[in-house]
DNA sequence: GTAGTCAGATTGTCCGGACATACACATTGA
DNA sequence: TCAATGTGTATGTCCGGACAATCTGACTAC
């Protein structure tokens, strides 16, 4: 069966993007089965009334996502891998919501504090200068799941406690017009201290999963520094890595 | 000062790649300082005797790596972020070697076993069929650091114990002509069992960092399934994530 | 029968150009 | 003074074409 593809030239959406989205949907939906050839670029271009560079741009974006593989002299085929979801800079809140876990947030602290040396270095602000500090408890099904301590540079956005309880920090940042770009993460484990154990209703000495992250926006400016602890019985980090040769 | 760039048309190395490497080196070296404009694409192209698409391809590859930011109507500038290293599908052995930790490996088991349901599903082989099983202890400075249990599909490569002790598994795979493409990882934590504690010279119940990973080659075929436990006092996962909008 | 060779197919690289779009800045208007 | 408007500049998108590099498979020669 021939895959039905078409583009709308009156739409403001770029043609290559229209095409890549349709291809991605076809792969996701199973219309394009793993291992199947995509048909050569020139024929595809003429069938759609597009130029070859445009078709290549569409295909390239899916290759970058790890959905397609190009082979010179052979063609472009769908990878036959079970997992196709791309890696993302994930938000715990969105992850939980997507998994149907009904996340809830309890804001413990929402204030302004002087920056410690470590936080100042991470955020690129002067030591002792003002930074926002937010401590939250993330719950799923009413049970505590993670303790989240975040610091943000001043003047970036208003941190409203009600909003923080209704959604995730990343969504607030995006809503404020900040386009997140990259993050440096460190994931480790350690035994819970007495205070940590109480917050998460675990026993002292119980293993905890820890994550420390600095997030940067598209200008390379640090917009958030987080120090999180998770209950490993309730949460683990899942992601897909792509090799960039 | 004008950045000195030039391309060698007699080289088999693609022009866009020559350019992107020089730009990356200039950024790494500090010749191109964070926040500085790159000069517009058309002028850059004419200066180098290249076409604009070629220059764009070079710049785009660095944008994808997170080194540059494009702004319509403004120009392309170097991100002013502290961390510029891209995310990679890391190999523990290479990581340790790069950090000057003198890694060593002790092969505990190197054999062929029938695939359990879980392993068969991960590797995409028939249940009960033959798979390689390798258990290793990774040491740094003579101290145990991680316990690595891996399964590989049959017929992929010869697993020589001596080679496994001399280098990492990923390097062996690459040497065998396998181009790694992506991996699905899950990172968690748990308390050490008695057996795990003994292997890693920890106490029973001590927190351990766990990682489970399935690695795929460029055709989407699973080439390795690993179940690793790390001593969190000696190791944590560090990586940088890029957002793909 | 096996190895080497050749042709076809397909992606990889590169060109030169055209118009659209968004941002920054200066100008103009209220 | 401040907002709206225009203008220049840079990237974003798209085109049509050309040749090179590489893989597959069939054919040929030994």
């Amino acid at each position: 069966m021939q895959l039905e593809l078409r583009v709308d030239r009156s739409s403001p959406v770029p043609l290559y993007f229209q095409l890549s989205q349709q291809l991605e949907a076809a792969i996701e939906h199973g219309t394009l089965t793993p291992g199947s050839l995509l048909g050569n670029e020139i024929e595809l271009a003429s069938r759609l009334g597009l130029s070859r560079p445009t078709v290549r741009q569409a295909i390239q974006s899916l290759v970058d996502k790890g959905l397609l593989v190009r082979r010179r002299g052979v063609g472009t085929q769908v990878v036959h891998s079970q997992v196709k979801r791309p890696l993302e800079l994930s938000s715990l809140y969105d992850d939980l919501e997507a998994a149907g876990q009904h996340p809830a947030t309890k804001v413990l602290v929402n204030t302004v504090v002087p920056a410690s040396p470590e936080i100042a270095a991470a955020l690129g602000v002067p030591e002792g200068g003002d930074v926002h500090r937010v401590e939250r408890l993330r719950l799923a099904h009413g049970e505590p799941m993670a303790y989240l301590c975040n610091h943000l540079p001043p003047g970036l956005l208003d941190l409203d406690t009600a909003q923080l309880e209704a959604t995730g920090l990343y969504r607030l940042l995006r809503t404020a017009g900040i386009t997140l770009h990259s993050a440096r993460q460190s994931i480790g484990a350690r035994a819970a201290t007495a205070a940590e154990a109480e917050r998460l209703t675990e026993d002292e000495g119980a293993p905890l999963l820890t994550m420390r992250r600095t997030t940067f926006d598209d200008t390379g400016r640090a917009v958030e520094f987080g120090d999180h602890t998770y209950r490993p019985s309730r949460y683990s980090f899942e992601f897909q890595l792509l090799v960039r040769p």
Side-chain angles (χ1 to χ4, degrees), chain A:
Chain A
M1 187 212 100
Q2 197 71 318
L3 185 61
E4 190 169 335
L5 294 170
R6 58 203 147 76
V7 292
D8 175 10
R9 300 196 84 99
S10 68
S11 162
V13 178
L15 300 177
Y16 77 89
F17 193 74
Q18 292 183 37
L19 177 54
S20 72
Q21 280 202 318
Q22 287 179 52
L23 290 174
E24 186 169 357
I27 293 169
E28 194 71 27
H29 182 266
T31 313
L32 280 173
T33 57
S36 64
L37 270 304
L38 203 62
N40 77 61
E41 298 170 350
I42 299 182
E43 191 268 339
L44 196 58
S46 76
R47 206 171 77 198
L48 287 164
L50 297 173
S51 71
R52 189 177 163 219
T54 303
V55 172
R56 272 184 74 78
Q57 193 173 1
I59 291 176
Q60 187 59 47
S61 71
L62 297 180
V63 171
D64 289 340
K65 279 192 184 178
L67 294 175
L68 298 176
V69 190
R70 320 179 94 134
R71 293 176 170 278
R72 196 184 282 197
V74 180
T76 305
Q77 47 186 314
V78 182
V79 299
H80 41 269
S81 154
Q82 300 89 327
V83 279
K84 303 230 182 58
R85 260 175 309 169
L87 124 125
E88 271 173 48
L89 183 49
S90 64
S91 146
L92 175 58
Y93 191 91
D94 293 344
D95 284 354
L96 293 174
E97 198 168 54
Q101 300 252 349
H102 308 293
T105 307
K106 191 173 162 191
V107 174
L108 306 175
V109 173
N110 182 6
T111 182
V112 171
V113 298
S116 73
E118 186 183 41
I119 292 165
L123 292 179
V125 299
E127 203 176 313
D130 281 353
V131 290
H132 290 285
R133 178 189 180 92
V134 178
E135 293 181 42
R136 293 169 295 165
L137 206 59
R138 180 63 43 84
L139 311 152
H141 297 302
E143 287 228 7
M145 185 152 195
Y147 164 77
L148 318 169
C149 176
N150 290 86
H151 289 87
L152 289 84
L156 210 60
L157 79 165
D158 285 339
L159 284 169
D160 181 60
T161 298
Q163 283 186 314
L164 279 169
E165 303 217 322
T167 182
L169 180 58
Y170 272 24
R171 207 175 290 176
L172 284 182
L173 284 169
R174 277 189 252 258
T175 309
I178 297 165
T179 52
L180 303 178
H181 178 261
S182 64
R184 182 127 184 84
Q185 287 195 346
S186 172
I187 298 176
R190 67 158 181 266
T193 64
E196 286 173 333
E198 207 212 312
R199 278 196 297 250
L200 295 172
T201 66
E202 289 272 352
D203 294 328
E204 186 175 344
L208 292 182
L209 192 58
T210 65
M211 191 265 278
R212 174 167 290 196
R213 169 163 69 185
T214 310
T215 310
F216 303 93
D217 72 359
D218 57 359
T219 69
R221 179 182 52 166
V223 295
E224 179 253 344
F225 174 67
D227 219 333
H228 300 181
T229 56
Y230 302 84
R231 296 175 73 183
S233 57
R234 310 301 170 100
Y235 188 73
S236 62
F237 291 96
E238 314 253 345
F239 49 87
Q240 185 172 3
L241 293 180
L242 295 175
V243 178
R244 316 203 133 274

